[in-house]
Amino acid sequence: MAKAQVPVPGSVIAAGGLVGGYGVARWTKKRPLGGAVLAVAGAAAAQRWRQRAGGKAAGALTVAYVAAFAGSHPLAKKVGAWPAVLGVAGAVALASWAVADRRA
């Protein structure tokens, strides 16, 4: 008998994209590769958000995802790179849960 598959929540995909994108860029020293991870995860999260909460919510959460990425850069100058990335990833995950994931 096959197990039912539970889809990965958008909050996990988004947080993973922010953390994973930064990690890949840092460890490979190839920023475009990290950007690719960020973009693929963002697209996957947006699709999940659209499925769970509709287009307007997905659009708002996508804007939050991009803003978190952009905001992590100046924040990193104040608190350090990893704390900034983890902080914005947590904020996006919380917003995603509140808007889309808790409905599942």
Side-chain angles (χ1 to χ4, degrees):
M1 183 188 309
K3 280 187 173 181
Q5 291 185 348
V6 178
V8 178
S11 56
V12 173
I13 297 168
L18 288 161
V19 173
Y22 174 69
V24 166
R26 181 171 177 143
W27 290 316
T28 65
K29 300 193 184 337
K30 295 184 193 274
R31 291 179 74 178
L33 188 56
V37 170
L38 182 79
V40 168
Q47 180 180 10
R48 186 61 43 87
W49 294 327
R50 195 174 317 106
Q51 292 168 348
R52 294 216 171 142
K56 286 184 182 181
L61 288 168
T62 300
V63 167
Y65 182 78
V66 173
F69 166 69
S72 69
H73 292 82
L75 183 60
K77 292 179 181 181
K78 296 180 186 264
V79 299
W82 276 113
V85 170
L86 294 173
V88 300
V92 169
L94 182 61
S96 174
W97 177 84
V99 173
D101 295 338
R102 72 179 174 162
R103 298 172 185 229

